[in-house]
Amino acid sequence: MTIKEVCEKYDITADTLRYYERVGVIPTVTRTAGGIRDYQESDIGWVENAICFRDAGMPVEMLIEYVRLFQEGDSTIDARAALLKEARETIIEAKKKYDIALEKLDYKIGRYEIAQKTGELTWD
Amino acid sequence: MTIKEVCEKYDITADTLRYYERVGVIPTVTRTAGGIRDYQESDIGWVENAICFRDAGMPVEMLIEYVRLFQEGDSTIDARAALLKEARETIIEAKKKYDIALEKLDYKIGRYEIAQKTGELTWD
DNA sequence: ATACAACTTGGAGCTAACTCTAAGTCAAGG
DNA sequence: CCTTGACTTAGAGTTAGCTCCAAGTTGTAT
């Protein structure tokens, strides 16, 4: 799979894909004889995970650390498991904050809907 | 309430509070005769909302726009309601991404726990 | 064989959101 | 009154995460 196809599949720019590889968010991608990226299933898997975790707000630095540990081999299994658990806690905390904001928003939106119906605004 | 007290209450730096005010994330804060910030209930309310929505990933630019509309008066009620609804959608979408990442994490963590028990690693 | 688009690398540039610095002002304790 | 520490502003600097650019290479279609 070419870089272009991966871009289109995941709606991400080629620059970002190359950046992820360069800094180590994903391991080095397979190349053709000519040196052109030719994404294999496993490369795609890393890309998918990277995008998924970045979308959940995980810092690039954490993904780099995970890849680094992964490449170090089986001796880092505990460290990787710990990293993943930490990431889970972070995401759960972030989600709580999103829920609080949603509550606040729903309350405000409700107030605005009353204001729009009555033409009166009596707060905030 | 002094800037220091607000910092401590919300675990945020004074620099950030001043920055929020400067760029318009919150309206201008009440001052003492000497020109020192003296946060009133309403100022605190704005601070609380700003922190809450920033924590939910809303861009500073959007908060500035809301404050701008608010200060323009009742003629902007529809625009403000629309802004809040857009924010709600954005947050709901973001939360979905967080859930997908959580699922992936839980799956991976499960696999690591098996690996840690058996001492074997057969994937990834 | 020759265009010509799409790829490559290394490195510079950009944006959002702070964060820090300098030079000065205010206010509480002695 | 004087010191000392927290406050003020304007503006410069920093960090994360891309995003763009230049100069050169590869691969496909005539």
Side-chain angles (χ1 to χ4, degrees):
Chain A
M1 214 175 186
T2 68
I3 198 167
K4 194 170 198 202
E5 288 164 340
V6 178
C7 289
E8 280 160 8
K9 181 163 183 191
Y10 295 104
D11 192 31
I12 187 177
T13 69
D15 273 319
T16 300
L17 279 174
R18 284 189 283 252
Y19 163 73
Y20 281 174
E21 187 179 346
R22 179 152 45 109
V23 301
V25 164
I26 59 173
T28 306
V29 170
T30 312
R31 307 291 154 115
T32 64
I36 293 192
R37 286 174 184 79
D38 181 24
Y39 291 80
Q40 306 302 308
E41 273 310 305
S42 63
D43 298 317
I44 305 273
W46 283 105
V47 168
E48 213 165 272
N49 284 337
I51 293 170
C52 176
F53 294 132
R54 283 292 303 123
D55 280 349
M58 279 189 59
V60 159
E61 201 48 60
M62 200 174 222
L63 303 181
I64 292 171
E65 176 68 2
Y66 183 83
V67 170
R68 200 186 62 70
L69 289 170
F70 178 82
Q71 288 174 332
E72 233 183 283
D74 288 6
S75 67
T76 66
I77 287 179
D78 288 357
R80 277 182 270 157
L83 196 64
L84 295 179
K85 282 174 190 168
E86 190 194 329
R88 178 168 59 183
E89 290 317 305
T90 306
I91 292 176
I92 288 169
E93 287 312 304
K95 263 190 67 182
K96 280 184 196 158
K97 300 228 170 133
Y98 279 58
D99 281 330
I100 293 168
L102 269 184
E103 262 182 54
K104 216 179 252 263
L105 270 177
D106 285 338
Y107 173 77
K108 276 181 178 289
I109 289 168
R111 298 287 252 160
Y112 269 103
E113 269 161 8
I114 292 165
Q116 285 171 321
K117 283 208 180 70
T118 64
E120 285 189 17
L121 189 65
T122 50
W123 82 95
D124 216 3
Chain B
M1 214 175 186
T2 68
I3 198 168
K4 192 168 198 202
E5 287 164 340
V6 178
C7 288
E8 281 161 6
K9 181 164 182 187
Y10 294 104
D11 192 30
I12 187 179
T13 70
D15 273 320
T16 300
L17 279 173
R18 283 188 285 252
Y19 163 73
Y20 281 174
E21 186 179 349
R22 179 152 46 110
V23 299
V25 164
I26 58 173
T28 305
V29 171
T30 313
R31 307 291 154 115
T32 64
I36 292 189
R37 285 175 184 80
D38 180 25
Y39 290 80
Q40 306 301 308
E41 272 311 303
S42 62
D43 298 317
I44 304 274
W46 282 105
V47 168
E48 213 165 274
N49 283 337
I51 293 170
C52 175
F53 294 133
R54 284 291 303 122
D55 280 348
M58 280 189 56
V60 158
E61 201 48 60
M62 201 174 223
L63 303 181
I64 292 171
E65 176 68 1
Y66 182 83
V67 170
R68 202 187 60 71
L69 289 170
F70 177 82
Q71 287 174 332
E72 234 183 282
D74 289 5
S75 66
T76 66
I77 288 178
D78 288 356
R80 274 182 273 159
L83 196 64
L84 295 180
K85 283 174 190 168
E86 191 193 328
R88 178 168 59 183
E89 291 316 306
T90 306
I91 292 176
I92 288 169
E93 286 313 303
K95 263 190 67 183
K96 280 183 196 159
K97 300 232 170 127
Y98 278 58
D99 282 329
I100 293 167
L102 270 183
E103 263 180 53
K104 215 180 253 265
L105 271 178
D106 285 337
Y107 173 77
K108 275 181 179 288
I109 288 168
R111 298 286 250 160
Y112 270 102
E113 270 161 8
I114 292 165
Q116 286 173 320
K117 283 208 181 69
T118 65
E120 286 191 18
L121 189 65
T122 51
W123 82 97
D124 214 5

